Amino acid sequence: MTRIEFIEFLKEFKTDFDKNKENWENINLSDFLESMIAYTEDIQGFYDNMGMNINADNPTWENFSHILKGASIYE
């Protein structure tokens, strides 16, 4: 994922929040950031379980998009 693709992801991510807030687990900033921390701690397990050959310790634009998306639903 390039920086430009990440920007497009963010635009779509915000639109999804605006239109589908009821489907998001974390709708206030504090809860979202708490989930983002937890999801970031656990993301390598997600990659491993899904058979994705991604090292979470090597940050990429794609990692950032996975973390944001995960934090929207992570409890």
Side-chain angles (χ1 to χ4, degrees):
M1 176 179 280
T2 66
R3 183 180 61 84
I4 300 302
E5 290 170 325
F6 183 70
I7 292 167
E8 288 305 311
F9 161 80
L10 288 175
K11 289 176 184 177
E12 292 171 12
F13 193 63
K14 182 190 178 306
T15 298
D16 184 63
F17 178 78
D18 292 341
K19 292 182 178 179
N20 303 301
K21 192 179 299 186
E22 67 279 356
N23 295 329
W24 285 47
E25 183 68 34
N26 305 294
I27 59 171
N28 69 54
L29 184 57
S30 180
D31 290 345
F32 184 84
L33 291 174
E34 184 177 327
S35 289
M36 194 171 168
I37 292 165
Y39 195 78
T40 302
E41 290 174 338
D42 295 343
I43 198 167
Q44 188 63 58
F46 167 74
Y47 289 150
D48 294 344
N49 289 336
M50 298 300 291
M52 301 169 80
N53 188 23
I54 298 175
N55 181 348
D57 291 328
N58 296 328
T60 66
W61 292 114
E62 185 175 29
N63 290 119
F64 296 138
S65 70
H66 292 161
I67 290 167
L68 290 170
K69 198 173 207 180
S72 70
I73 58 170
Y74 202 71
E75 295 182 38

